[in-house]
Amino acid sequence: MKAAVLVFPGSNCDRDLGVAFEQAGFDVSMVWHKDTELPSGIDIVGVPGGFSYGDYLRCGAIAANSPITQSLKTHADRGGYVIGICNGFQILTETGMLPGALLQNAGLKYICKTVGLKVETSQSSFTEGYNAGDTLEIPIAHHEGNYFADDEVISRLQGEDRVAFTYTDNPNGAKADIAGVLSENRRVLGMMPHPERAADIGHGGTDGTALFRALQGALTPA
Amino acid sequence: MKARVHVMLKTGVLDPQGEAVRHALGALGFDGVNGVRQGKVIELDLKDGTSEDSITSMCEKLLANTVIESYHVEVM
């Protein structure tokens, strides 16, 4: 299985995400934002955390219009898998690949700590290594992680079992405690917490490992 | 020609920065500030004759995120 990790100016979780994919058995290519094509045969694209383009205008707004992003959309449109973490989640909402938007944390502070994360569904290739209802310990590190969508979108996400993760103790004001959501075809996941920072004993926790391992086992080529 | 784009969080979207400013004004002794909403102003220096449709398209595609923000264009 092949994974690509996008690298924007200001990305800073790209290498961690690459290592997490590698440890789960993926061949990993790092892809610079100015490239216009993903390498051939890519099964999953990781959009990493960080501060792409310095978070100018809005977090993820410039990256959402960067050359590689068109290729990312094409990959998703033909049923390819995508995971966006933190700034990657912000980028996926800015492109419209996932619904909603990430607002500034309700408490106005940047929050960097490990939080409790409840697995809301195991019905996706990302979460099938967990049981619905499991509680994980995964770090967050963000200033704009307050998930917002209008009530209609929130109930549609809940009704379609597309809320992947919720916070056990909401740190940022996210609506309905939402920490991660799935696309309609369940092949695009965006989440604020960082599973790639809980994927090695050296990280102090390995609750994120099952996500990457499950992906390696589950992906069906697009 | 120039255009000024005002971008604001939509009504109903929490604006924690605006709230913090409101509290600060209260702490300075300014009574009666019932609410503060903070937005941004983007000034565009444009080729003469740029159509309003084109400016609207800039707003929709990049300058505002219409999931959470509303915008208003002022051509000067």
Side-chain angles (χ1 to χ4, degrees):
Chain A
M1 286 291 160
K2 289 186 177 177
V5 176
L6 306 188
V7 185
F8 299 97
S11 295
N12 63 10
C13 301
D14 45 329
R15 289 170 65 174
D16 294 22
L17 184 54
V19 169
F21 275 128
E22 267 167 21
Q23 287 187 344
F26 284 88
D27 288 329
V28 179
S29 314
M30 307 303 277
V31 181
W32 183 234
H33 71 114
K34 282 196 173 163
D35 292 352
T36 49
E37 294 285 336
L38 290 167
S40 64
I42 290 294
D43 299 292
I44 181 161
V45 181
V47 190
F51 302 84
S52 56
Y53 301 90
D55 280 350
Y56 294 160
L57 191 64
R58 292 180 307 277
C59 304
I62 312 282
N65 294 288
S66 121
I68 195 61
T69 309
Q70 195 51 51
S71 183
L72 172 71
K73 284 187 200 162
T74 311
H75 167 82
D77 287 345
R78 61 179 177 82
Y81 288 84
V82 179
I83 181 169
I85 297 168
C86 199
N87 188 222
F89 185 14
Q90 294 162 343
I91 293 168
L92 295 181
T93 60
E94 281 285 340
T95 59
M97 290 164 66
L98 289 173
L102 282 312
L103 297 169
Q104 200 171 53
N105 295 342
L108 287 170
K109 288 199 166 61
Y110 186 96
I111 308 170
C112 184
K113 66 175 185 186
T114 297
V115 299
L117 204 59
K118 186 177 163 207
V119 179
E120 288 290 333
T121 179
S122 58
Q123 302 298 309
S124 80
S125 300
F126 304 95
T127 55
E128 67 177 29
Y130 303 108
N131 295 312
D134 281 358
T135 302
L136 316 177
E137 296 283 314
I138 305 276
I140 57 167
H142 60 242
H143 189 229
E144 281 86 5
N146 176 352
Y147 185 77
F148 176 87
D150 62 34
D151 293 341
E152 194 190 319
V153 171
I154 299 280
S155 30
R156 196 171 71 232
L157 289 173
Q158 289 169 331
E160 293 174 355
D161 193 30
R162 286 167 55 194
V163 176
F165 301 104
T166 53
Y167 300 107
T168 56
D169 184 13
N170 193 336
N172 55 26
K175 261 206 178 173
D177 302 327
I178 290 173
V181 298
L182 292 157
S183 63
E184 216 168 335
N185 70 0
R186 314 186 79 75
R187 291 183 173 207
V188 180
L189 169 70
M191 62 190 294
M192 288 312 297
H194 287 272
E196 83 284 12
R197 292 191 191 176
D200 187 286
I201 292 167
H203 292 159
T206 55
D207 282 358
T209 307
L211 185 151
F212 296 100
R213 286 213 185 124
L215 278 174
Q216 166 68 9
L219 297 199
T220 46
Chain B
M1 64 182 279
K2 289 196 174 179
R4 196 173 280 157
V5 179
H6 301 258
V7 181
M8 292 295 293
L9 284 172
K10 283 181 177 170
T11 313
V13 177
L14 181 73
D15 177 8
Q17 274 194 111
E19 269 301 286
V21 173
R22 186 178 68 83
H23 281 293
L25 287 172
L28 285 169
F30 294 103
D31 292 333
V33 182
N34 295 326
V36 176
R37 306 281 288 169
Q38 189 177 316
K40 54 189 149 195
V41 176
I42 301 167
E43 283 191 352
L44 304 170
D45 190 348
L46 300 162
K47 193 172 78 179
D48 283 346
T50 303
S51 69
E52 287 211 29
D53 281 356
S54 168
I55 303 171
T56 301
S57 177
M58 293 177 201
C59 294
E60 294 280 333
K61 285 187 177 162
L62 182 64
L63 301 180
N65 178 345
T66 55
V67 174
I68 47 171
E69 293 168 329
S70 59
Y71 62 87
H72 162 70
V73 178
E74 189 190 341
V75 176
M76 298 183 292

